[in-house]
Amino acid sequence: MGYKKLDEVMELLTDELDGFNKSIGRLERLTQNTDNIKVIPDTSEIERLLREHLNSEKGNTVKLRQSVQDIRSQISKARLVPKIQQWIQYSIWLVSLVIIGYLGLQVSRIGEVQERAFTEGEQEVISNLRGYFDQNPSHYESYRKWLQKKDSVPNRK
């Protein structure tokens, strides 16, 4: 019985070796075919594609530079506020400053104006009283008596 199994194993090994030998033969034939093939490297198509890409990139770069230059010139010409509006605004500020200065000067002179108005008012009252007393001498006498009484009585406050 042991020989039978050994024969089977031997047959299997023989079949496997035959298959292995056939595969090696096929591999040798393929290797001979590849040894006979001459590969000539041709990069002309790749170089042509690279040149086309380089030219298109140069064109894009030129367009981009032109766009940037246009934007720079537009920005340099652009203003947030038009010139006429700016001059009007400066004029309004100047007029406002002049008015504020003038009003400040007038306020600082208000004491002089009050003094002058008081003096003028006093002179006017005196002249009006003189005219009145010249027309009514009896009233002037009553006024003088009243003043004397007033001066003789001490102030009681």
Side-chain angles (χ1 to χ4, degrees):
M1 235 197 198
Y3 290 112
K4 215 177 190 184
K5 283 192 178 189
L6 189 59
D7 285 338
E8 282 180 28
V9 168
M10 289 300 277
E11 275 184 44
L12 283 173
L13 279 174
T14 308
D15 289 342
E16 287 296 322
L17 281 174
D18 284 340
F20 182 70
N21 286 335
K22 287 179 186 177
S23 295
I24 287 181
R26 239 186 338 190
L27 183 61
E28 284 175 352
R29 275 183 277 137
L30 288 173
T31 306
Q32 285 174 358
N33 286 342
T34 57
D35 287 341
N36 295 336
I37 295 176
K38 299 281 183 185
V39 176
I40 301 172
D42 185 19
T43 59
S44 61
E45 184 65 23
I46 294 173
E47 288 174 356
R48 184 189 63 78
L49 289 172
L50 283 174
R51 267 189 253 112
E52 283 179 14
H53 180 68
L54 180 64
N55 289 335
S56 70
E57 285 301 312
K58 281 181 182 178
N60 290 340
T61 304
V62 167
K63 288 178 186 176
L64 186 62
R65 282 187 183 161
Q66 183 62 36
S67 296
V68 168
Q69 187 62 32
D70 290 345
I71 290 171
R72 279 185 184 161
S73 67
Q74 289 175 358
I75 287 174
S76 68
K77 292 178 184 176
R79 292 184 182 250
L80 293 177
V81 179
K83 271 189 174 181
I84 188 109
Q85 184 180 359
Q86 195 173 21
W87 282 109
I88 289 171
Q89 191 173 8
Y90 289 154
S91 301
I92 290 172
W93 288 349
L94 180 66
V95 169
S96 298
L97 286 174
V98 168
I99 289 172
I100 289 171
Y102 175 74
L103 292 176
L105 184 65
Q106 292 301 319
V107 167
S108 70
R109 292 184 181 173
I110 201 158
E112 295 173 11
V113 170
Q114 285 177 340
E115 221 175 283
R116 193 172 350 125
F118 179 77
T119 306
E120 289 174 4
E122 186 179 35
Q123 293 298 325
E124 190 175 332
V125 166
I126 290 173
S127 67
N128 284 344
L129 282 176
R130 271 200 189 130
Y132 176 74
F133 287 145
D134 286 345
Q135 290 176 0
N136 301 311
S138 63
H139 290 184
Y140 180 68
E141 286 300 320
S142 299
Y143 173 70
R144 259 187 34 197
K145 286 180 187 176
W146 175 78
L147 273 180
Q148 284 175 355
K149 270 188 195 178
K150 182 180 164 201
D151 288 338
S152 64
V153 176
N155 285 339
R156 296 180 188 167
K157 288 187 180 180

